[in-house]
Amino acid sequence: MIAALFFYLFSAVLIASAFLVITSRNPVHSVLFLILAFFNAAGLFLLLGAEFLAMLLVVVYVGAVAVLFLFVVMMLDVDFAEFKQGFMRYLPVGGAIGAIVLLELVLVVGGWRVDAASLANVASPAPPAMSNTLALGRVLYTQYAYLFIAAGMVLLTAMIGAIILTLHHKVGIKRQDVAAQNARTPKDAVELRKKSFRQGV
Amino acid sequence: MTPLSLALAHSLPEVILAVGVLGLVLYGALRGKASDGPVTEIAVGLLGAAILVILLGFKEQAILFDGAVIDDGFGRFMKVLALIGSLTALVMGQDFLARERIDKFEFPILVLLATLGMMVLISAQNLISMYLGLELMSLALYVVAAFNRDDLRASEAGLKYFVLGALSSGMLLYGASLIYGFAGTVDFAGIAAATQGHVSIGIIFGLVFLMTGLAFKMSAVPFHMWTPDVYEGAPTPVTAFFGSAVKMAAVAITVRVLMTAFPGAEAQWRQIIVFISILSMALGAFAAIGQTNIKRLMAYSAIGHVGFALVGLAAGTQEGVFGVMVYMAIYLVMTLGSFAAILSMRVAGHAVEQISDLSGLAKNNPLMAFFFAMLMFSLAGIPPLAGFFAKWYVFNAAIQAHLYPLAVIGVLSSAVAAYYYLRVVKIMYFDEAAPAFDPPTPALRVVLAITSLFVLFLFAYPALFIDATATAAKSLF
């Protein structure tokens, strides 16, 4: 009963905030509604018992992706009102395509039955009496160790690539060198001169 | 459960490359100099060591790491081809990169990472390792395409390749997720079992998306749009790398996925392969005619040759796979040789890449003109050069599988394609002499000589090569 209540609560807020993401005038509001949508989706995952996926959604999407979005939206001076100018003009075409896709989705998902044979094929089925996180931890570094390392190599490649394409070593920049600063003595930094009185410099 | 030590022993070539890359990254970063120093030589040594380990190592088939990796004859054969491609591209490109002042130590490291990705890709036995291998390879390729970041054309090439590549990766992932959903497994053998007899519409849907992603990596029509621009814009050693090693890996995984995971859906995927094969052959033949840039010409030639190789795959038989492997091996040699000649095109220290710059090469440098002409004849498929045998095996397989229209279209488009290869020869031998090229580096001379002697004399003693290929092809069935 309570689960059903929360399901409808999360779903309603999710749909409403997803709608507001595309309709709100201010792009910053859009991103904030996107974050709200992510939180509600995480809640739905929790209700399904997929607590690891829920936490991942919050950590990765809210913590990294959405903040990055917010950063970009605030950094770049994009005139979003200009993008939306043709909104009403293209609404019939866009709406028609959306309706067709929705219809297709309903037909496909409505007619879809999970094949019993395909369920038997699953390589690592969810073990009973074990939390998601524990089950993942059991296979991630054992059964999937090879793939885990391969993913690590992909990330290393991305890092090297980002550095090689964007890092410019500029010459002639004055940088603070603490050791050089500390090594300075009054002898080589200060010069004392006798000046006669009332003569100016 | 496979013991870890056995799995590591079987994947020793990958381990060598992975550990070597990590060591080189540390060495390059701690060394503090931007130039490549001995990093290229060490990278070439690592690639050579990997080739030796594969040639001298295990001969039997093994599935490792809980079904993520397969070590079989087919994989070993294609891995050696890819490694040869990477190694030769590195050796040939060193001088070019130094002259263009882009000889940073990251270049050999990225080539090694891409090669590691190719090896993961070639020996993939489930959808996850396939995707990770593909992504490791592609990510490094995007960067090396734009490696000359101050050059507008190279940056454009890298960006174009990245955007289209990301799109194709997305399609491939979408297809993989559909296949997983409907087959219940990511394992190739499991998918083959699930598609035995009846193939559900969801799996076919996923298969189409999966093939879209793979066709993009192979640069098969209609997913070829990036090829001419990337080939032209990227630094020439990178183009040689794209044309040789990358093609090997992309074709290998396509053959492996279709033959081992979807034998049950053969009737369905054959239609797609026949379709993209015909389109690739036709576009490769006709679009290359008007080209004036030799790198663009090679790009259209690559598109056409992928079409020819896919003729063998369309047959779907052991002869067909054998034909594809012979084709890819000979194509690798021809591509490396052609790019050795293209890299030698340098007038007064500046690289030139117009076909007209080759005018009268026969007078200025008769030996180079002869070798390049042999490679062009071979690419055109003129007997008794190696390129003829490559085409002969794939068309033979198609005819045995009763794909007569496909074979006829293939022969016709190869006749059309012969025009532009022969035009290059005509320009070299009968046109007014253009300024002479600078003397090529020893590495380029050696590669050019070895490759053209290979295509010239393969017919004299083909047994060793053909037997090795036939044994490797058998392991897939």
Side-chain angles (χ1 to χ4, degrees), chain B residues 124-445:
Chain B
Q125 180 63 9
N126 66 28
L127 292 172
I128 308 176
S129 48
M130 179 184 95
Y131 177 70
L132 283 171
L134 193 82
E135 209 53 19
L136 181 54
M137 175 182 94
S138 311
L139 212 52
L141 293 180
Y142 303 144
V143 182
V144 287
F147 202 76
N148 194 359
R149 63 181 182 191
D150 300 323
D151 180 35
L152 197 63
R153 283 192 312 162
S155 311
E156 184 198 329
L159 194 64
K160 201 171 263 178
Y161 191 38
F162 174 65
V163 172
L164 289 173
L167 184 73
S168 81
S169 280
M171 288 200 191
L172 187 132
L173 266 184
Y174 184 48
S177 73
L178 278 172
I179 292 167
Y180 175 53
F182 281 90
T185 175
V186 290
D187 185 57
F188 287 170
I191 295 171
T195 53
Q196 214 43 261
H198 167 72
V199 189
S200 77
I201 189 79
I203 289 186
I204 293 175
F205 220 80
L207 177 63
V208 172
F209 277 101
L210 194 75
M211 287 175 72
T212 305
L214 293 175
F216 177 88
K217 296 294 172 208
M218 290 192 294
S219 69
V221 182
F223 308 103
H224 65 286
M225 296 78 75
W226 58 275
T227 320
D229 293 337
V230 173
Y231 268 50
E232 189 189 353
T236 313
V238 174
T239 314
F241 183 51
F242 274 46
S244 55
V246 180
K247 287 279 181 298
M248 301 300 129
V251 171
I253 189 61
T254 311
V255 171
R256 188 190 288 289
V257 168
L258 293 182
M259 299 309 295
T260 63
F262 295 100
E266 190 179 312
Q268 284 87 352
W269 61 251
R270 177 178 284 154
Q271 297 171 11
I272 305 174
I273 289 289
V274 168
F275 178 71
I276 61 177
S277 167
I278 290 176
L279 285 184
S280 303
M281 290 189 293
L283 186 114
F286 286 101
I289 290 174
Q291 301 305 324
T292 55
N293 183 304
I294 186 94
K295 281 159 82 181
R296 274 188 99 81
L297 181 86
M298 289 307 290
Y300 284 107
S301 154
I303 294 170
H305 281 286
V306 164
F308 289 121
L310 290 180
V311 170
L313 179 58
T317 55
Q318 189 176 323
E319 287 80 37
V321 172
F322 167 68
V324 175
M325 292 167 72
V326 170
Y327 202 100
M328 292 322 288
I330 292 176
Y331 178 66
L332 172 79
V333 175
M334 296 189 296
T335 309
L336 289 174
S338 307
F339 274 101
I342 294 169
L343 280 163
S344 309
M345 292 169 60
R346 212 168 247 293
V347 177
H350 290 285
V352 291
E353 47 193 48
Q354 295 300 313
I355 298 176
S356 55
D357 292 319
L358 286 163
S359 297
L361 184 66
K363 296 188 189 73
N364 298 329
N365 190 344
L367 196 62
M368 179 180 159
F370 173 75
F371 283 152
F372 198 24
M374 286 306 115
L375 288 164
M376 285 291 134
F377 280 135
S378 179
L379 280 168
I382 289 167
L385 300 172
F388 167 74
F389 294 102
K391 288 205 171 73
W392 193 76
Y393 281 117
V394 287
F395 290 147
N396 192 28
I399 286 169
Q400 280 181 7
H402 305 294
L403 296 169
Y404 301 116
L406 182 63
V408 170
I409 293 172
V411 172
L412 289 180
S413 51
S414 105
V416 175
Y419 164 73
Y420 58 81
Y421 295 121
L422 295 182
R423 192 165 68 99
V424 174
V425 177
K426 175 238 162 200
I427 286 172
M428 285 194 297
Y429 275 86
F430 300 114
D431 279 14
E432 283 298 310
F437 294 143
D438 302 346
T441 61
L444 292 175
R445 285 181 208 196

Side-chain angles (χ1 to χ4, degrees), chain A residues 32-53:
Chain A
L32 291 175
F33 278 119
L34 191 65
I35 293 175
L36 184 61
F38 284 145
F39 266 112
N40 283 286
L44 287 176
F45 276 130
L46 265 184
L47 289 180
L48 281 172
E51 84 285 346
F52 185 74
L53 210 52

Side-chain angles (χ1 to χ4, degrees), chain A:
Chain A
M1 177 61 203
I2 293 178
L5 196 70
F6 273 101
F7 171 75
Y8 286 113
L9 178 72
F10 285 140
S11 309
V13 180
L14 175 62
I15 293 172
S17 54
F19 187 72
L20 284 167
V21 170
I22 53 170
T23 51
S24 62
R25 290 200 166 276
N26 189 335
V28 177
H29 293 175
S30 286
V31 177
L32 291 175
F33 278 119
L34 191 65
I35 293 175
L36 184 61
F38 284 145
F39 266 112
N40 283 286
L44 287 176
F45 276 130
L46 265 184
L47 289 180
L48 281 172
E51 84 285 346
F52 185 74
L53 210 52
M55 292 310 142
L56 213 61
L57 198 69
V58 173
V59 171
V60 176
Y61 280 87
V62 178
V65 177
V67 171
L68 195 72
F69 271 166
L70 208 55
F71 198 65
V72 171
V73 165
M74 288 178 169
M75 290 275 287
L76 297 181
D77 184 26
V78 184
D79 189 1
F80 285 89
E82 205 177 300
F83 282 155
K84 289 181 185 160
Q85 256 175 9
F87 186 71
M88 286 315 289
R89 198 147 61 90
Y90 297 117
L91 188 64
V93 182
I97 293 174
I100 291 170
V101 171
L102 183 69
L103 198 70
E104 284 178 345
L105 276 176
V106 168
L107 284 177
V108 168
V109 175
W112 188 45
R113 298 278 174 278
V114 178
D115 187 10
S118 71
L119 281 180
N121 279 332
V122 176
S124 14
M130 194 189 279
S131 76
N132 263 281
T133 318
L134 182 61
L136 273 172
R138 287 246 169 117
V139 292
L140 186 59
Y141 304 110
T142 54
Q143 197 180 338
Y144 295 111
Y146 177 81
L147 305 169
F148 185 75
I149 295 169
M153 297 304 284
V154 173
L155 291 178
L156 175 71
T157 312
M159 195 172 82
I160 295 175
I163 291 173
I164 190 77
L165 290 180
T166 54
L167 181 67
H168 284 269
H169 281 293
K170 286 188 183 145
V171 285
I173 294 176
K174 293 188 173 169
R175 288 198 175 80
Q176 186 179 21
D177 187 346
V178 179
Q181 286 176 341
N182 286 340
R184 270 165 84 95
T185 55
K187 206 189 290 171
D188 49 44
V190 184
E191 191 181 348
L192 294 175
R193 284 204 185 158
K194 273 261 187 281
K195 299 298 284 183
S196 46
F197 186 56
R198 290 197 137 188
Q199 289 285 302
V201 183

Side-chain angles (χ1 to χ4, degrees), chain B residues 77-107:
Chain B
F77 184 87
M78 296 309 286
K79 275 185 202 172
V80 168
L81 293 187
L83 285 167
I84 291 175
S86 307
L87 191 151
T88 317
L90 266 186
V91 170
M92 290 197 304
Q94 199 178 13
D95 175 66
F96 183 95
L97 295 173
R99 280 167 184 264
E100 301 285 321
R101 296 179 192 287
I102 45 173
D103 53 338
K104 298 177 192 153
F105 75 89
E106 286 94 341
F107 183 78

